[in-house]
Every structure is written in structure tokens, then in C-alpha cells.
């Protein structure tokens, strides 16, 4: 029954088909009654309307900068956004460009310790009126900042609504690692975060490893919910022919940024060595991210920078490659940031039955998960010789590629099918709604 869907207000992350959090949320809420779901977020750009039609932009009247930083603040509009369906088959839009001047400004704010001071979200009269009219029963949020923590605390107190938190990566450990006031801000963020999780009804994580760590760290049970896959969509082009392309194609599709940058140069150097040995290999890179990585790596003639394709075209694209790359950086800060995360694309990669090459520190959740369940060929050492050998083995060994691909597909069917995962996700909300009505 569609009237059994709780009325949810999602705050922060909005539905999209380009970011990991947006894609995960879109897939988890797929099938929800659109009349019982609404989003409030900042700088909403190209939202996905397949799941939700109601978007309230938290603009200038809610996003208030403190003195004197408000003098440079843009006056983004606040209020309900009109529904603008994108053309069918539209590719993901690139992120908004950030000028070099703004990049330097943000670095200054982080180093000086002012970054977490400058911004705050407030409950404006217009937003408060809209929330009352919408009358949500539950708040769901993917937290990522101090101002969002405090805003959810305000909403929780004002409307006495149960809160469901879903953590995508271990930002509580890394958000205040830089700057001269890092210790001060770490204590503040930790205090406010613990207050919110103590006031929340359901806590969710992105992986089993994160749930285990957070139980130890915060003494709370976090239910793991990873990005589910629709079998009909993702397996329609599943690889069955494992004969190598000519040239052999290594493909990475996704985010380039914190924790996933230097690994591309290491992969490129490994491919370069094999190309010089006479192997025919191309390294395809597809991302909507704006990064120095793309500018520099395109200098290799075997690297092909590909334009993003519509989300619905990804299954065929992934299945057309010989190997899908899932790389992470190995420096301490990157490992700390990614330690308990599971990449959104991992379950989608698996579903296409294309073999995966995972290049990540052994301490990360994704490396431990792959080693345990054998859905990828893994390289857990930051060692060029081992990486070169891994790519070369995958290049020559068709049976190995087939074995890894089929194991991954089977694992995806058994653990990430949206029929099973979405039912469990929805049931968590229904149970909370029932408890609140008692």
C-alpha cells in the first residue's frame, strides 16, 4: 500500500545521478510515493525527478554567513523550485566551476580555522511555514558538515520529528584534520555529532566496516545500507564474452577528488610500462569532476578522456570494457577518509560482470570486503611492480577475467538487489513511523 510510505523530509543531499550520495539515495528511495517525499538542500542543480518532485532550496534566507563573510555571499534564491525535467538521455552535468581565487580563499579558511565558523543554516520563516504545511513524519539526512548537524538539531527540537542519519564516509574523523585550530574544531564537531546521534531514532552507515567502527567509537548500532542495483537495468548488458578488446580497455568512471587522485598517475605509469613492452592497452577515464588529474593525465597518448554518458547508458559502457578500475590513494589522510566507505559504483560494477581491479590500501573497508568475497582482483600495496604485474595478468588471462566477473555478478544479485535492499530500507522507516505513533 502506497499510503504506508512515511512522509519524509530529506535535508542536505538531494537526489541526483552524478554524485555518490545522490545516486545511492535515488536507488534506495526508488518506488517511494512521490507525494510523501521532499528535499531541502543548498545550491540544487539538475536534481533527479524520477523519485521526487518537491525540492526546497535553502538559499540566502536560510544560509547565513557570519560577519564579515556575508559581505561576499551570493544571494541564492530560497523556496520551492519549479519542476524542470531534463531531456531524455541527458548526460550528467559537470560540477560548478570554482575559480582559483575562490580555491585560495577556501584554503585560507581551512588553515585559519575559520571555515566552520563562517556558515550556518537557520530556520527562516518561509522554510518553517513550508515544513508545517508539508507536515513530514521523519527527517532523513546524509550529514557532512557542522552547519548541517546544527540545522538538523534545530529541526528536531522545533518539530519533534524522528531523525534518520545515513553516513556515506568517515567525514567526522577528517573534516577538521587541517588548520591551526583543528583540535578545537574536532572537539566541537564531535560534541555536536554525538548529541545528534543520541537524539536520532535510526542510524545508518554505508558498510559493515563502518557499522563496526561506529559501534566501537560511539556505542551506537548503525544499520549498513549500500547502493542497491536494479537487476533489470544493470544486468541487461552483463558481460558474457571475455575475449579481450583490441586495444584492451581499462575503464574508470566516477569521482576524482579527496582520496582518489594520485592513484590515477600510478595507474597511468603502470600502463605506460606495459605499452612500452608491446601490449595494446588504453586507459579510459570518465568523470564529471573538475581536477588537475584530468589535465595532466591526458598527456599520455594511451589515456582517453571520455565524456560522461547518461546514467541509463552506464551498464552497456561498463560491460564494454575489459577491466573496471576501483582505485584509492594510499597516503594516510586518504586512507583515513575512505577507510570505512564502500564506493557507490562498486555494486554497479559488480552487476555488469566485468572484472574489477581494486587498487587500495588493505586497511580500507572496500579492500577487506573484496578480499573476503573475491569479487575483484586486488592490489593492496603501493608498489608499481605489483600493479604492473596485476594488469598484465588480467590482460593475458581470459579465464581469470571471466571467473572474477561472474563471482562479482553473483555477489551483486545476492546482496545488492534493490528488491531486497529497498524493502529493508523502507521497513526501517515504517517501523519508526509505527513507534512514533504509539
Amino acid at each position: 500500500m502506497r499510503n504506508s510510505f512515511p512522509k519524509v523530509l530529506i535535508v542536505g543531499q538531494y537526489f541526483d545521478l552524478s554524485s555518490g550520495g545522490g545516486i545511492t539515495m535515488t536507488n534506495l528511495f526508488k518506488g517511494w510515493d512521490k507525494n510523501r517525499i521532499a528535499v531541502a538542500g543548498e545550491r540544487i542543480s539538475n536534481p533527479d525527478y524520477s523519485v521526487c518532485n518537491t525540492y526546497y532550496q535553502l538559499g540566502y534566507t536560510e544560509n547565513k554567513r557570519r560577519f564579515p563573510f556575508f559581505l561576499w555571499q551570493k544571494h541564492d534564491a530560497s523556496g520551492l523550485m519549479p519542476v524542470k525535467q531534463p531531456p531524455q538521455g541527458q548526460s550528467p552535468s559537470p560540477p560548478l566551476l570554482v575559480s582559483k581565487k575562490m580555491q585560495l580563499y577556501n584554503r585560507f579558511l581551512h588553515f585559519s580555522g575559520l571555515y566552520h565558523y563562517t556558515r550556518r543554516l537557520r530556520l527562516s520563516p518561509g522554510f518553517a511555514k513550508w515544513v508545517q504545511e508539508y507536515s513530514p513524519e521523519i527527517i532523513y539526512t546524509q550529514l557532512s558538515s557542522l552547519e548541517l548537524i546544527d540545522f538538523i538539531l534545530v529541526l528536531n527540537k522545533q518539530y519533534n520529528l524522528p531523525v534518520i542519519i545515513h553516513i556515506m564516509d568517515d567525514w567526522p574523523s577528517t573534516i577538521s584534520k587541517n588548520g591551526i585550530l583543528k583540535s578545537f574544531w574536532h572537539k566541537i564537531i564531535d560534541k555536536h555529532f554525538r548529541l545528534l546521534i543520541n537524539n536520532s531514532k535510526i542510524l545508518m552507515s554505508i558498510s559493515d566496516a563502518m557499522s563496526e567502527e561506529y559501534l566501537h567509537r560511539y556505542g551506537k548500532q548503525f544499520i549498513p545500507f549500500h547502493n542497491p542495483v536494479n537487476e533489470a537495468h544493470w544486468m541487461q548488458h552483463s558481460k558474457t564474452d571475455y575475449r579481450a578488446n583490441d586495444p584492451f580497455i581499462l575503464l574508470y568512471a566516477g569521482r576524482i577528488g579527496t582520496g582518489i587522485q594520485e592513484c590515477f598517475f600510478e595507474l597511468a605509469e603502470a600502463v605506460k610500462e606495459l605499452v612500452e613492452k608491446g601490449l595494446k592497452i588504453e586507459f579510459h577515464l570518465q568523470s564529471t569532476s573538475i581536477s588537475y588529474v584530468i589535465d595532466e593525465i591526458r598527456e599520455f597518448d594511451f589515456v582517453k578522456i571520455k565524456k560522461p554518458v547518461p546514467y541509463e547508458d552506464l551498464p552497456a559502457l561498463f560491460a564494454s570494457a575489459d577491466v573496471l578500475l576501483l582505485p584509492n590513494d594510499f597516503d594516510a589522510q586518504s586512507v583515513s577518509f575512505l577507510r570505512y566507505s564502500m564506493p557507490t559504483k562498486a555494486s554497479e560494477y559488480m552487476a555488469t560482470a566485468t572484472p574489477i581491479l581494486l587498487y587500495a590500501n588493505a586497511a580500507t573497508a572496500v579492500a577487506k570486503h573484496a578480499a573476503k568475497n573475491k569479487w575483484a582482483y586486488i592490489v593492496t600495496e603501493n608498489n608499481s611492480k605489483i600493479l604492473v604485474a596485476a594488469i598484465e595478468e588480467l590482460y593475458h588471462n581470459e579465464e581469470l577475467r571471466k571467473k572474477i566477473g561472474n563471482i562479482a555478478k553473483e555477489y551483486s544479485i545476492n546482496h545488492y538487489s534493490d528488491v531486497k535492499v529497498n524493502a529493508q530500507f523502507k521497513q526501517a522507516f515504517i517501523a519508526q513511523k509505527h513507534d512514533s505513533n504509539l
Side-chain angles (χ1 to χ4, degrees), residues 178-420:
N178 297 318
I180 57 179
L181 296 177
K182 59 185 179 181
S183 296
F184 169 78
W185 284 116
H186 178 77
K187 291 177 182 178
I188 293 294
I189 293 169
D190 185 66
K191 178 182 178 181
H192 290 212
F193 181 56
R194 288 177 184 272
L195 177 61
L196 181 56
I197 62 176
N198 286 336
N199 285 325
S200 298
K201 297 299 183 181
I202 297 178
L203 304 170
M204 298 177 177
S205 74
I206 198 63
S207 70
D208 292 323
M210 180 178 284
S211 292
E212 292 171 10
E213 166 62 19
Y214 280 20
L215 175 61
H216 173 74
R217 189 188 302 176
Y218 302 110
K220 298 286 186 178
Q221 293 282 351
F222 282 71
I223 307 169
F225 280 104
H226 185 54
N227 179 37
V229 293
N230 180 275
E231 292 179 29
H233 173 68
W234 280 100
M235 297 180 188
Q236 60 183 316
H237 298 288
S238 288
K239 184 180 285 293
T240 55
D241 184 355
Y242 287 87
R243 288 174 295 179
N245 289 308
D246 185 12
F248 191 84
I249 297 173
L250 303 174
L251 170 66
Y252 174 82
R255 179 180 74 88
I256 299 175
T258 304
I260 315 175
Q261 295 183 110
E262 296 305 312
C263 53
F264 294 111
F265 297 111
E266 293 158 9
L267 283 161
E269 288 294 338
V271 174
K272 179 183 177 183
E273 184 173 329
L274 291 169
V275 169
E276 290 174 348
K277 286 178 62 174
L279 277 62
K280 295 180 179 179
I281 304 178
E282 286 185 355
F283 181 3
H284 292 192
L285 191 60
Q286 177 184 290
S287 179
T288 58
S289 301
I290 305 299
S291 172
Y292 71 91
V293 172
I294 293 176
D295 292 334
E296 294 184 22
I297 203 172
R298 68 169 72 245
E299 298 302 318
F300 294 100
D301 57 8
F302 54 81
V303 172
K304 309 298 178 184
I305 306 301
K306 299 292 184 176
K307 292 183 179 179
V309 303
Y311 190 72
E312 59 266 27
D313 293 341
L314 287 178
L317 176 70
F318 290 175
S320 69
D322 291 292
V323 172
L324 296 171
L325 299 172
L326 205 57
N328 289 171
D329 292 345
F330 281 76
D331 63 281
Q333 186 166 342
S334 295
V335 172
S336 179
F337 181 69
L338 298 170
R339 182 182 296 271
Y340 305 111
S341 298
M342 277 290 286
T344 299
K345 68 179 71 62
S347 55
E348 298 172 348
Y349 273 10
M350 292 181 207
T352 63
T354 301
I356 300 166
L357 172 58
L358 173 67
Y359 180 52
N361 189 291
T364 59
V366 66
K368 292 179 179 179
H369 195 279
K372 178 181 178 181
N373 299 294
K374 306 189 185 308
W375 50 260
Y377 189 119
I378 60 174
V379 176
T380 56
E381 294 183 53
N382 194 201
N383 183 303
S384 61
K385 289 183 178 180
I386 296 175
L387 183 58
V388 168
I391 296 173
E392 187 168 16
E393 184 173 9
L394 287 167
Y395 179 94
H396 288 296
N397 195 333
E398 180 180 330
E399 282 303 311
L400 177 62
R401 297 197 301 272
K402 181 178 180 180
K403 178 181 179 182
I404 294 171
N406 286 331
I407 290 174
K409 180 180 177 180
E410 187 68 21
Y411 190 88
S412 179
I413 292 171
N414 292 334
H415 296 85
Y416 296 128
S417 170
D418 62 351
V419 175
K420 181 188 299 183

Side-chain angles (χ1 to χ4, degrees), residues 1 7 20 104 114 120 137 150 162 165 172 342 394 400 427:
M1 296 291 291
K7 208 169 187 182
L104 290 172
L114 292 171
R120 65 186 177 94
E137 296 169 299
D150 289 342
I165 295 173
M342 277 290 286
L394 287 167
L400 177 62
Q427 189 55 44

Side-chain angles (χ1 to χ4, degrees), residues 69 102-119 144-145 147 174-183 185 189 258 333:
F69 302 98
M102 184 56 68
Q103 291 177 29
L104 290 172
Y105 174 66
N106 284 331
R107 287 176 189 168
F108 163 75
L109 292 179
H110 279 287
F111 177 76
S112 64
L114 292 171
Y115 182 80
H116 302 296
Y117 166 81
T118 60
R119 304 173 71 245
S144 59
S145 64
E147 64 266 20
T174 60
I175 193 173
S176 59
K177 282 229 169 180
N178 297 318
I180 57 179
L181 296 177
K182 59 185 179 181
S183 296
W185 284 116
I189 293 169
T258 304
Q333 186 166 342

